[in-house]
Amino acid sequence: METTNLSKIKRDKMLKTINEIKKNVTDEETINNLSLIENELTKKKYGLIWEEHEERVDKELETQIPTFEEVEDKQISFKPNGKFNFLLDGDNLHSLYLLEKTHKGKIDLIIIDPPYNTGSKEFMYNDSYVDSEDGYKHSKWLSFMSKRLQIAKNLLSDSGFIYINIDQNEYSQLKLLCDEIFGENNYVNEIIWQKLSASKAQTLYFSNLHEKILVYRKSDQAVMKKIYFEVDENDKNYPYIEEGTGRKYGSFDFTQSGQGTAKYFGELLLEPPKGKHWIWSQEKINEGMKKGTIIFTSKGLPRVKRYLDNKKGNPIGDLWVNNGVSNLSANDKERVGFDTQKPISMIHRILATMDNDITILDFFAGSGTTGHGVLLQNIIDNGNRSFILCTNNENNICENVTYKRFLNLSKGNLKGGKIDFNLKYYKTKFIPRCNTEEQNLNDNLMKNICNLIQLENGISIDNKKIQVYYNEDEFDKFTSNQELLNMCNKVYLSSDILITSKQKKLLNDNNIEVYVIPEYYFKDEIMEVL
């Protein structure tokens, strides 16, 4: 069958022309350039296509290896034996690069609120703000988001979900990008939520009241809990009170449009109303008559009797308008001085769809609302969730807004009262991607292993209860010191250390758990320079 794809016809004609030109060209550089044109012409022809841009942080990764450095005096620790949460201060691409080493396939839920690229200089690319006059503003935003969402997909567990806040400026582009990265079949829903009242968001033609949340899953193994609004005790659909029990109940129609036939209700053979049919089978009607769940109106019409205390409530929909997800007014007690802050109630609603023992990541953490919501939700349902937040320190946001928010929470200075939790503060730093006598790469990287162990396992290495050893001499000294053995519960060892049978017995007798430090932390980086 002859193709009607006009673009393909033109493309095939150009490819044929290039092929003919190549037959008469012997210059290798010209042939290579023609091949590049061929490659461009044969790239995918449907989906999101944009001018790719390179970030400064991409270039940095070519010559430097990012690592984490703990800021110990910012540690918050009020929950003995509890998991540690983490606040990562630095460019989120560097943090995501490291999280791929510690949390690949381990994140259960990602909630992000990326820059919306409004053109009002709220989005920075390569140390320069992108404004409405930038002809590549969409391409820069897509290049920026694509790298980060690709890693986000790798971090999600097979049962994981990602929620992405967005407005109209990049919604269409983001939807296509997510379809490409996560797969169209893993699109879950679009949620619309009301952010402001009409009086505060008047635009040229309409009041801009809402924003959107795009929801994707990692795979078809991801299952979301259905949540319901609380039952209203004054629900007008349940106006009657049952004698003897005092239970509220209502009577409900059980017909639908369509042709129907008469059915028996006990001894009565009843026709459905004209143009309707009974939606229950005769067998189910018989069962309802026996159980008393079918009652009759004063006109003799059968109805279904339903009790208010059996009602789950109405399922939560995808329109979140003042029904449990509140607006954030300027005077709201949740405000911590961050313009694009989201309401905690939004985080509560998202968390309610998941189990209560999960790991949550937000790599556009801003003021830290995701972490705040996690801590409060753990109190509400006695959950064991933990979070990892990434944000840069532009204008001292991480230190003066995000960290300060958690410090105030630990002191009881914010909504929700004093909360006991554990938090570590990491800053990204860099090690040269080289191996010399002065800069031994292996030694430099090993110094940072502890921070990755802590991050991966949600622990704090105190060199008492939890200890780390990189060589056999240090480990031998440890196993020869009964005082150290008595204090220790867990020990992390380099894969190069060989444990003798005597040492195994000592560790076992002292109930010390042994873990091998993963080689995948920095193996690739070390191999590159050897």
Side-chain angles (χ1 to χ4, degrees):
M1 182 178 176
E2 189 174 342
T3 181
T4 59
N5 186 334
L6 298 179
S7 295
K8 185 177 187 303
I9 292 171
K10 292 177 183 177
R11 190 164 57 249
D12 289 345
K13 186 176 180 180
M14 285 188 283
L15 288 168
K16 185 177 179 180
T17 301
I18 291 170
N19 195 46
E20 290 298 319
I21 294 172
K22 286 173 75 173
K23 290 178 182 178
N24 301 310
V25 174
T26 56
D27 177 58
E28 188 174 340
E29 184 178 351
T30 303
I31 291 172
N32 288 339
N33 287 334
L34 289 169
S35 296
L36 286 173
I37 296 171
E38 283 181 312
N39 289 337
E40 289 299 313
L41 288 170
T42 54
K43 280 184 177 179
K44 70 172 186 176
K45 296 302 174 287
Y46 176 78
L48 194 60
I49 300 171
W50 71 91
E51 301 278 346
E52 291 189 33
H53 290 256
E54 185 175 52
E55 293 179 66
R56 169 186 52 78
V57 290
D58 289 318
K59 295 295 291 181
E60 287 174 344
L61 292 175
E62 292 178 8
T63 58
Q64 302 180 89
I65 300 169
T67 60
F68 287 127
E69 179 179 53
E70 182 176 356
V71 183
E72 294 184 1
D73 62 0
K74 282 184 164 54
Q75 177 171 304
I76 297 171
S77 182
F78 286 103
K79 195 170 185 180
N81 303 318
K83 291 181 184 177
F84 270 80
N85 304 288
F86 290 83
L87 176 56
L88 312 180
D89 174 351
D91 191 285
N92 60 10
L93 190 60
H94 295 148
S95 295
L96 289 169
Y97 172 89
L98 288 164
L99 283 168
E100 267 200 293
K101 300 175 182 298
T102 60
H103 284 80
K104 190 173 183 178
K106 296 178 181 178
I107 299 293
D108 303 292
L109 175 62
I110 296 175
I111 304 172
I112 56 173
D113 185 24
Y116 288 176
N117 204 16
T118 62
S120 59
K121 294 188 177 182
E122 103 291 359
F123 168 49
M124 181 176 280
Y125 192 87
N126 279 352
D127 299 326
S128 298
Y129 282 109
V130 177
D131 60 28
S132 57
E133 302 301 314
D134 192 321
Y136 292 103
K137 74 171 192 173
H138 293 296
S139 291
K140 288 178 178 178
W141 189 87
L142 285 165
S143 293
F144 174 85
M145 289 299 297
S146 177
K147 297 181 186 77
R148 289 155 177 79
L149 290 178
Q150 288 282 2
I151 300 176
K153 180 186 177 184
N154 295 336
L155 294 176
L156 279 177
S157 67
D158 287 339
S159 59
F161 290 88
I162 181 168
Y163 287 70
I164 310 172
N165 283 277
I166 199 67
D167 73 356
Q168 71 275 11
N169 288 284
E170 294 289 356
Y171 171 79
S172 300
Q173 290 75 253
L174 179 63
K175 176 69 170 64
L176 286 172
L177 181 63
C178 287
D179 283 346
E180 187 174 296
I181 292 174
F182 297 100
E184 286 184 71
N185 57 320
N186 288 319
Y187 167 71
V188 176
N189 224 105
E190 166 194 298
I191 295 166
I192 295 175
W193 71 281
Q194 185 175 343
K195 61 175 181 176
L196 292 170
S197 60
S199 60
K200 295 179 180 176
Q202 189 67 43
T203 60
L204 182 60
Y205 298 111
F206 301 99
S207 291
N208 181 14
L209 303 179
H210 79 279
E211 289 182 3
K212 299 178 181 181
I213 305 172
L214 274 176
V215 186
Y216 281 79
R217 61 184 183 177
K218 173 68 174 286
S219 73
D220 59 9
Q221 294 181 37
V223 179
M224 190 180 292
K225 290 180 183 177
K226 186 175 283 189
I227 54 178
Y228 298 85
F229 290 117
E230 290 184 8
V231 174
D232 180 3
E233 288 297 322
N234 298 313
D235 191 326
K236 293 179 181 179
N237 292 315
Y238 297 82
Y240 310 113
I241 297 177
E242 188 176 64
E243 288 186 23
T245 65
R247 296 172 72 188
K248 284 189 173 184
Y249 71 91
S251 63
F252 297 87
D253 182 22
F254 63 110
T255 62
Q256 281 184 352
S257 297
Q259 191 63 36
T261 58
K263 290 189 178 179
Y264 280 98
F265 291 81
E267 300 296 323
L268 297 172
L269 182 64
L270 296 177
E271 293 276 355
K274 188 175 181 180
K276 300 268 191 173
H277 71 275
W278 304 116
I279 61 174
W280 282 14
S281 66
Q282 184 64 64
E283 183 180 8
K284 191 172 181 181
I285 288 172
N286 294 342
E287 184 182 351
M289 292 295 293
K290 286 180 182 178
K291 291 183 176 180
T293 54
I294 292 179
I295 56 179
F296 294 87
T297 68
S298 58
K299 294 181 180 180
L301 294 174
R303 305 274 284 183
V304 179
K305 182 180 185 179
R306 293 198 176 108
Y307 294 101
L308 179 61
D309 55 19
N310 284 336
K311 183 181 178 182
K312 279 187 175 180
N314 296 318
I316 298 294
D318 54 13
L319 185 62
W320 295 359
V321 181
N322 291 328
N323 52 14
V325 177
S326 58
N327 300 335
L328 264 183
S329 67
N331 297 319
D332 195 292
K333 291 180 181 178
E334 291 180 21
R335 281 290 186 189
V336 294
F338 194 75
D339 289 343
T340 59
Q341 182 179 338
K342 295 298 181 287
I344 291 174
S345 54
M346 176 189 290
I347 307 302
H348 287 325
R349 177 158 296 179
I350 294 171
L351 293 175
T353 67
M354 305 284 288
D355 291 334
N356 67 356
D357 187 7
I358 60 173
T359 303
I360 299 102
L361 169 66
D362 182 349
F363 52 89
F364 288 101
S367 68
T369 297
T370 295
H372 191 164
V374 168
L375 295 177
L376 289 177
Q377 190 66 30
N378 279 345
I379 293 173
I380 291 169
D381 60 13
N382 196 31
N384 193 35
R385 303 170 186 84
S386 59
F387 63 80
I388 301 169
L389 305 183
C390 312
T391 189
N392 61 34
N393 201 26
E394 180 188 334
N395 299 321
N396 294 319
I397 289 169
C398 191
E399 291 183 75
N400 294 344
V401 179
T402 321
Y403 175 73
K404 186 177 178 182
R405 183 175 190 172
F406 290 104
L407 190 62
N408 282 328
L409 277 173
S410 71
K411 295 177 178 179
N413 295 335
L414 291 180
K415 181 179 179 180
K418 185 179 185 303
I419 301 176
D420 292 335
F421 64 96
N422 301 327
L423 178 84
K424 283 186 175 290
Y425 188 115
Y426 282 0
K427 290 179 75 74
T428 51
K429 69 172 191 174
F430 299 93
I431 292 173
R433 201 180 281 268
C434 63
N435 194 38
T436 64
E437 287 186 14
E438 294 80 20
Q439 293 284 351
N440 184 286
L441 185 62
N442 187 66
D443 289 347
N444 285 339
L445 291 174
M446 289 303 283
K447 293 173 186 175
N448 293 276
I449 290 292
C450 274
N451 291 326
L452 295 186
I453 294 172
Q454 291 182 143
L455 178 61
E456 180 171 3
N457 298 282
I459 59 174
S460 181
I461 295 171
D462 58 1
N463 294 319
K464 293 178 181 178
K465 291 183 178 180
I466 302 175
Q467 304 198 33
V468 180
Y469 294 99
Y470 303 117
N471 61 62
E472 289 185 355
D473 288 341
E474 292 175 345
F475 181 60
D476 289 343
K477 290 177 184 177
F478 163 67
T479 53
S480 301
N481 188 323
Q482 189 58 52
E483 185 178 348
L484 290 177
L485 290 170
N486 289 340
M487 288 190 292
C488 187
N489 295 327
K490 294 179 183 178
V491 63
Y492 288 84
L493 304 177
S494 165
S495 58
D496 295 331
I497 295 176
L498 297 176
I499 307 175
T500 66
S501 56
K502 181 181 178 182
Q503 288 172 329
K504 282 183 181 177
K505 186 175 186 307
L506 275 170
L507 294 169
N508 187 58
D509 289 347
N510 285 275
N511 297 314
I512 298 172
E513 299 174 16
V514 180
Y515 298 90
V516 177
I517 298 170
E519 291 186 356
Y520 54 72
Y521 279 164
F522 289 115
K523 182 180 179 181
D524 292 341
E525 289 83 354
I526 292 172
M527 294 299 293
E528 282 176 13
V529 297
L530 291 180

